[in-house]
Amino acid sequence: MLADLRDTAPLVQCITNVVVSNFTANVLLALGASPAMVDIPGEARQFAPVASGLLVNLGTPTGSQRDAMLEASEAAADAGTPWVLDPVAVGFLSIRTGTAKLLVTRRPTIIRGNASEIIALAGAGEGGRGVDSLDEPAAALEAARLLASLHGSVVAVSGAVDAIVAPGDAVIRVANGTPLLTRVTGGGCALGAVMAAFAALTPDALLAATAATGIYTQAAESAAATAAGPGTFAPLFLDALAAITPDDVVRGLNLSAGA
Amino acid sequence: MLADLRDTAPLVQCITNVVVSNFTANVLLALGASPAMVDIPGEARQFAPVASGLLVNLGTPTGSQRDAMLEASEAAADAGTPWVLDPVAVGFLSIRTGTAKLLVTRRPTIIRGNASEIIALAGAGEGGRGVDSLDEPAAALEAARLLASLHGSVVAVSGAVDAIVAPGDAVIRVANGTPLLTRVTGGGCALGAVMAAFAALTPDALLAATAATGIYTQAAESAAATAAGPGTFAPLFLDALAAITPDDVVRGLNLSAGA
Amino acid sequence: MLADLRDTAPLVQCITNVVVSNFTANVLLALGASPAMVDIPGEARQFAPVASGLLVNLGTPTGSQRDAMLEASEAAADAGTPWVLDPVAVGFLSIRTGTAKLLVTRRPTIIRGNASEIIALAGAGEGGRGVDSLDEPAAALEAARLLASLHGSVVAVSGAVDAIVAPGDAVIRVANGTPLLTRVTGGGCALGAVMAAFAALTPDALLAATAATGIYTQAAESAAATAAGPGTFAPLFLDALAAITPDDVVRGLNLSAGA
């Protein structure tokens, strides 16, 4: 799928937060996809049908962006554009939580979040403090299964081990990665954009989310091996995303499947 | 002109997209100019007359930014502040295209874009997909000439070879650069800000656009020589912008003039 | 205090400008604090009472952000959340200046700015051109004392030597740092966020501002020792913030106290 992505350069529309928009675009470019940060009302609706994939990330949801999210997700659903919902910091914060609960009813292709966010989106918890997760990935599995069966979405729960849950209860776990991804802002958010890029390549959303996670976390491992800290890690990670080969991915993947 | 820029540190007002605002400010600082991201209505109008140059970039044009662009370009024109229009992704996207078509009638000092954007702004095409260009620089030359003669602007078309067209049909081509500039978000957008900085130093807009392009692309070449990928390229490029000397520029410039 | 910060990871709500939001979040993460960029009306008010500290930075103050600043600062004051005001580029620009003059009456825990900004906020000058300071730190000391006594705030004036003024006229000067901090956008803005993180650890705001300044500027010195320019400086600075130890800080601190 990585060769396929580089051949086709899927066009990923990103409606994402201002903190990570630059990093997200650079992650997509490094990997070989094509970012399009089209996030204003009017244009968001117009673009979603021609995009290869769409990311909706709730990190800094201004009124203008919330309008753009609602119209883009609707247009994506109508046009069959796969889309990813990242419910950043939902739970305690009421405005984004309301928006996320509306968006999720539009059956995102993939939902991506940390344990606290997935639990809160499923209505089972208060969420974390800001973007940090206070809940264990294991505790989030039940919430992920609920969301997957209610909305037909694949649900990816990030953590030391990432768990990816499909409707019907298949679970894939990816144990690659590095704690440095949590020391760079956007480490999780940009993965959502990569999932949208892979979802453009296959109708199998479980495969798309797993491929995205495996490639992303292994590039991160490779960068962490030479980084001296979180500052030098970020550019080395982008280099690794550009350099990683399908063979590297197969060789290093630490994956297990279960129920 | 580079020595002049470092002596005078022109103050460049940037109304630009959220994805590249950080990189753009760092490019200006590295080179020796002084960025001022004054982009809210009310202040944008107030600042343009005291700025040395103005950049208007349509990458993520919220309603608030569109108002700021309209008032700043008007105030710049009235005060004689040189300004650069970068019509990012115009063509298919209707809101920014309408804004760009209005802005261009205010006779920007320089218009900077890729081939698809220049063709779309001239009314001759549908534009690219997002920020990518699908048209050849050669095909954009006619559109650039049309814009230059209609609006009295210098028109810079980016590509593997950059073409800079003046009213009256002089064309300068700069063949410096590196594909890595297209693997970092803002590689083109930040060049628009650098053009605004150089336009502050001379009334000859063709000279300003050419100097900006030559210095920018040669710093990029120098960074590419040691970068291991797009991630490490970006900080090395900023270092190169800070380190490049007028002698370096003259020595490395790959320039041709024609009609 | 550095060990304390890393143990407790204070949650710093940042309402800051789009240009530096990524760098600011990465500075907090590198140091060991936890950033939360909650800056929309409705959520800003809701979050301030649960945040450990709050930063209000006026760099790109859209209407939405100005509303968020006003409600968050009120909620922080009511809840006892310490907060930092960074009056970026106030003076000439009328909208942010009006907002800053209203915000300062709510008695920020710490006010942080360059000499021009502090003078303008005190009503004694026209401010600088954009974010640059044209006034000497010494000339700003009187303005800082006025603000400190009027509003009960600690006032930190950045410059080659940083001066930190407490109500009652104690002054601490920190002579650490590097000019490279002025060649990276957000070099000052991110320090405001670090001050908010330290203000969460102690009710002594003079101590908090001094600790933040000392640690921040020494990490910068350490990064400058190996950086080849402003581009490579930024990631090395983040690495240094993650690596610096309490012993390093005590050993390198160039501090003097006076009146």
Side-chain angles (χ1 to χ4, degrees):
Chain A
M1 288 187 78
L2 180 55
D4 197 14
L5 182 138
R6 287 176 181 149
D7 283 347
T8 59
L11 182 61
V12 183
Q13 179 180 6
C14 299
I15 305 179
T16 192
N17 69 78
V18 295
V19 188
V20 307
S21 61
N22 180 273
F23 184 66
T24 301
N26 279 334
V27 162
L28 290 171
L29 285 170
L31 196 60
S34 185
M37 312 325 249
V38 181
D39 73 343
I40 61 167
E43 291 189 351
R45 176 200 309 277
Q46 196 180 9
F47 200 74
V50 305
S52 315
L54 166 69
L55 168 70
V56 174
N57 172 300
L58 281 157
T60 52
T62 58
S64 163
Q65 265 206 344
R66 294 197 302 276
D67 290 345
M69 289 169 183
L70 293 170
E71 62 175 57
S73 59
E74 190 175 58
D78 287 352
T81 303
W83 69 286
V84 175
L85 175 64
D86 190 334
V88 180
V90 299
F92 174 70
L93 293 165
S94 54
I95 292 174
R96 68 187 67 199
T97 303
T99 303
K101 295 210 177 214
L102 177 52
L103 285 166
V104 79
T105 64
R106 296 182 179 175
R107 307 175 70 82
T109 313
I110 299 171
I111 302 169
R112 194 216 75 81
N114 63 32
S116 293
E117 291 158 352
I118 296 302
I119 291 169
L121 187 62
E126 280 260 316
R129 32 168 248 172
V131 296
D132 293 335
S133 180
L134 301 173
D135 300 281
E136 283 302 295
L141 215 58
E142 196 181 347
R145 286 192 165 118
L146 180 62
L147 288 171
S149 72
L150 272 177
H151 306 296
S153 307
V154 163
V155 183
V157 188
S158 60
V161 175
D162 293 293
I164 305 166
V165 177
D169 284 3
V171 180
I172 291 180
R173 288 181 179 78
V174 180
N176 297 95
T178 160
L180 280 173
L181 272 179
T182 66
R183 300 290 297 276
V184 174
T185 193
C189 296
L191 175 53
V194 173
M195 287 181 180
F198 279 101
L201 303 177
T202 171
D204 182 343
L206 180 63
L207 176 61
T210 304
T213 304
I215 291 164
Y216 190 87
T217 53
Q218 285 186 74
E221 279 180 17
S222 156
T226 53
T232 47
F233 170 72
L236 292 171
F237 175 51
L238 295 173
D239 283 1
L241 285 168
I244 196 169
T245 66
D247 276 0
D248 294 337
V249 175
V250 172
R251 213 169 14 236
L253 197 59
N254 190 344
L255 185 148
S256 60
Chain B
M1 287 185 80
L2 181 55
D4 196 15
L5 182 139
R6 287 176 179 149
D7 283 347
T8 59
L11 182 61
V12 183
Q13 180 179 5
C14 300
I15 305 180
T16 193
N17 69 79
V18 293
V19 188
V20 306
S21 61
N22 181 274
F23 184 66
T24 301
N26 279 334
V27 161
L28 289 172
L29 284 169
L31 196 61
S34 185
M37 310 326 248
V38 181
D39 72 344
I40 61 168
E43 290 189 351
R45 177 199 309 278
Q46 195 180 11
F47 201 73
V50 305
S52 313
L54 166 69
L55 168 69
V56 174
N57 173 301
L58 280 157
T60 52
T62 57
S64 164
Q65 265 206 343
R66 293 197 303 275
D67 290 345
M69 289 169 183
L70 292 171
E71 63 176 54
S73 59
E74 189 173 61
D78 287 352
T81 303
W83 69 287
V84 176
L85 174 64
D86 190 335
V88 180
V90 299
F92 174 70
L93 293 165
S94 55
I95 292 175
R96 70 187 66 200
T97 303
T99 304
K101 296 212 176 213
L102 178 52
L103 285 166
V104 78
T105 63
R106 295 181 179 175
R107 307 175 69 83
T109 313
I110 299 171
I111 302 168
R112 194 216 75 81
N114 63 32
S116 292
E117 291 158 352
I118 296 303
I119 291 170
L121 188 61
E126 280 261 316
R129 32 169 249 172
V131 296
D132 293 336
S133 180
L134 300 174
D135 300 281
E136 283 301 295
L141 216 57
E142 196 181 348
R145 285 190 166 119
L146 180 62
L147 289 171
S149 73
L150 273 176
H151 306 296
S153 307
V154 163
V155 183
V157 188
S158 59
V161 174
D162 292 293
I164 306 166
V165 177
D169 285 0
V171 180
I172 292 179
R173 289 182 179 79
V174 180
N176 297 96
T178 161
L180 280 173
L181 272 179
T182 66
R183 301 289 299 276
V184 175
T185 194
C189 296
L191 174 54
V194 173
M195 286 181 179
F198 279 101
L201 303 175
T202 170
D204 182 343
L206 180 63
L207 175 61
T210 304
T213 304
I215 291 164
Y216 190 87
T217 52
Q218 285 188 74
E221 279 180 18
S222 156
T226 53
T232 46
F233 170 72
L236 292 171
F237 176 50
L238 295 173
D239 283 1
L241 284 168
I244 196 170
T245 66
D247 277 359
D248 295 335
V249 176
V250 171
R251 213 168 15 234
L253 196 61
N254 190 345
L255 185 147
S256 60
Chain C
M1 288 186 79
L2 180 56
D4 197 14
L5 181 138
R6 287 177 180 149
D7 283 348
T8 58
L11 182 61
V12 183
Q13 180 180 6
C14 298
I15 305 179
T16 192
N17 69 79
V18 294
V19 188
V20 307
S21 61
N22 181 271
F23 183 66
T24 301
N26 279 333
V27 161
L28 289 171
L29 285 169
L31 195 62
S34 186
M37 311 326 248
V38 181
D39 72 343
I40 60 168
E43 290 189 353
R45 178 200 309 276
Q46 195 180 8
F47 200 74
V50 305
S52 313
L54 166 69
L55 168 68
V56 174
N57 172 302
L58 281 157
T60 52
T62 57
S64 164
Q65 265 205 345
R66 295 197 302 276
D67 289 344
M69 289 170 183
L70 291 170
E71 63 177 55
S73 60
E74 190 174 61
D78 287 352
T81 303
W83 69 288
V84 175
L85 175 64
D86 190 335
V88 179
V90 299
F92 174 70
L93 293 165
S94 55
I95 292 174
R96 71 187 66 201
T97 303
T99 303
K101 294 208 179 219
L102 177 52
L103 285 166
V104 78
T105 63
R106 294 180 179 177
R107 307 175 70 82
T109 313
I110 299 171
I111 302 168
R112 194 216 76 82
N114 64 32
S116 293
E117 291 158 353
I118 296 303
I119 292 169
L121 188 61
E126 281 258 317
R129 32 168 248 173
V131 296
D132 293 335
S133 180
L134 301 173
D135 301 280
E136 284 300 296
L141 215 58
E142 196 180 348
R145 285 190 166 118
L146 180 63
L147 288 171
S149 73
L150 272 176
H151 307 294
S153 307
V154 162
V155 183
V157 188
S158 60
V161 174
D162 293 293
I164 303 165
V165 178
D169 285 0
V171 181
I172 291 179
R173 288 183 179 79
V174 179
N176 297 94
T178 159
L180 280 173
L181 271 179
T182 66
R183 300 291 297 276
V184 175
T185 193
C189 295
L191 175 53
V194 173
M195 287 181 179
F198 279 100
L201 303 177
T202 169
D204 182 343
L206 180 62
L207 176 61
T210 304
T213 303
I215 291 164
Y216 190 87
T217 53
Q218 285 188 73
E221 279 180 16
S222 157
T226 53
T232 47
F233 170 72
L236 292 170
F237 175 50
L238 294 173
D239 283 0
L241 284 168
I244 196 169
T245 66
D247 276 0
D248 295 335
V249 176
V250 172
R251 213 168 14 236
L253 197 60
N254 190 345
L255 185 149
S256 60

Coordinates of all heavy atoms in Angstrom, one line a residue, chain C residues 4 18 27 39 55 59 78 108-110 117-118 169 187 212 221 239 241 247 251 259:
Chain C
D4 N 10.1 19.7 40.0 CA 8.7 19.8 40.4 C 7.8 19.9 39.1 O 6.8 19.2 39.0 CB 8.5 21.0 41.2 CG 7.2 21.0 42.0 OD1 6.6 20.0 42.1 OD2 6.9 22.1 42.5
V18 N -1.4 32.3 16.0 CA -1.3 31.2 15.1 C 0.2 30.9 14.7 O 0.5 29.8 14.3 CB -2.1 31.3 13.8 CG1 -3.6 31.3 14.2 CG2 -1.8 32.6 13.1
V27 N 7.6 23.6 23.0 CA 8.4 24.0 24.1 C 7.9 23.5 25.4 O 8.6 22.9 26.2 CB 8.5 25.6 24.1 CG1 8.9 26.1 25.5 CG2 9.4 26.1 23.0
D39 N -8.9 27.8 22.9 CA -8.9 29.2 22.6 C -10.2 29.7 21.9 O -10.2 30.7 21.3 CB -7.7 29.7 21.9 CG -7.7 29.2 20.4 OD1 -8.5 28.3 20.1 OD2 -7.0 29.8 19.6
L55 N -2.0 31.3 29.5 CA -1.3 32.3 28.8 C -2.2 33.0 27.9 O -3.0 32.3 27.1 CB -0.2 31.6 27.9 CG 0.5 32.5 26.9 CD1 1.3 33.6 27.5 CD2 1.3 31.7 25.9
G59 N -0.8 38.1 19.9 CA -0.1 38.2 18.6 C -1.0 38.3 17.4 O -0.7 39.1 16.5
D78 N -11.2 34.5 38.8 CA -12.2 34.0 39.7 C -11.7 32.7 40.4 O -12.0 32.5 41.6 CB -13.5 33.8 39.0 CG -14.2 35.1 38.7 OD1 -13.8 36.2 39.1 OD2 -15.3 35.0 38.0
P108 N -3.1 40.5 35.8 CA -2.4 39.2 35.5 C -1.3 38.9 36.5 O -0.7 39.8 37.1 CB -1.7 39.6 34.1 CG -2.0 41.0 33.8 CD -3.0 41.5 34.8
T109 N -1.1 37.7 36.7 CA 0.0 37.2 37.6 C 1.3 37.8 37.1 O 2.2 38.3 37.9 CB 0.0 35.7 37.7 OG1 -1.3 35.2 37.9 CG2 0.9 35.2 38.8
I110 N 1.6 37.6 35.8 CA 2.8 38.0 35.2 C 2.5 38.7 33.9 O 1.6 38.3 33.2 CB 3.8 36.8 34.9 CG1 4.1 36.1 36.2 CG2 5.0 37.3 34.2 CD1 4.9 34.8 36.0
E117 N 6.8 47.1 24.2 CA 5.4 46.7 24.6 C 5.1 47.1 26.0 O 4.0 47.5 26.3 CB 5.3 45.2 24.4 CG 5.4 44.7 22.9 CD 5.8 43.3 22.7 OE1 6.2 42.6 23.7 OE2 5.7 42.8 21.5
I118 N 6.1 47.0 26.9 CA 5.8 47.3 28.3 C 5.6 48.8 28.4 O 4.7 49.3 29.1 CB 7.0 46.8 29.2 CG1 7.1 45.3 29.1 CG2 6.9 47.3 30.6 CD1 5.8 44.5 29.6
D169 N 9.0 47.0 43.9 CA 10.3 47.4 43.3 C 11.5 46.5 43.3 O 12.6 46.9 42.9 CB 10.7 48.8 43.8 CG 9.8 49.9 43.2 OD1 8.9 49.6 42.4 OD2 10.0 51.1 43.5
G187 N 10.3 33.0 19.9 CA 11.3 32.9 21.0 C 10.9 33.6 22.3 O 11.1 33.1 23.4
A212 N 11.5 30.5 35.2 CA 11.2 30.3 33.8 C 12.3 30.9 32.9 O 12.8 30.3 31.9 CB 9.8 30.8 33.4
E221 N 21.1 29.0 25.4 CA 22.6 29.1 25.3 C 23.2 27.8 24.9 O 24.1 27.7 24.1 CB 23.2 29.5 26.7 CG 23.1 31.0 27.0 CD 23.7 31.3 28.3 OE1 24.4 30.5 28.9 OE2 23.4 32.4 28.8
D239 N 15.5 20.1 22.2 CA 16.3 19.0 22.9 C 16.9 19.5 24.2 O 16.9 18.8 25.2 CB 17.4 18.6 22.0 CG 16.9 17.7 20.8 OD1 15.7 17.4 20.7 OD2 17.8 17.3 20.0
L241 N 15.8 21.9 26.2 CA 14.8 22.1 27.2 C 14.4 20.7 27.8 O 14.1 20.6 29.0 CB 13.5 22.7 26.6 CG 13.6 24.2 26.3 CD1 12.4 24.6 25.4 CD2 13.6 25.0 27.6
D247 N 20.8 21.0 38.2 CA 22.2 21.3 38.4 C 22.8 22.3 37.3 O 23.5 23.2 37.6 CB 23.1 20.1 38.4 CG 23.1 19.4 39.8 OD1 22.4 20.0 40.7 OD2 23.7 18.4 40.0
R251 N 24.3 26.0 38.0 CA 25.7 26.2 37.6 C 25.8 27.4 36.6 O 26.7 28.2 36.7 CB 26.2 25.0 36.9 CG 27.7 24.8 37.2 CD 28.2 23.4 36.8 NE 27.3 22.7 35.9 CZ 26.8 21.4 36.2 NH1 27.2 20.8 37.3 NH2 26.0 20.8 35.4
A259 N 17.3 46.9 43.0 CA 16.0 47.6 43.2 C 15.9 48.6 42.1 O 16.7 48.7 41.2 CB 16.0 48.4 44.6

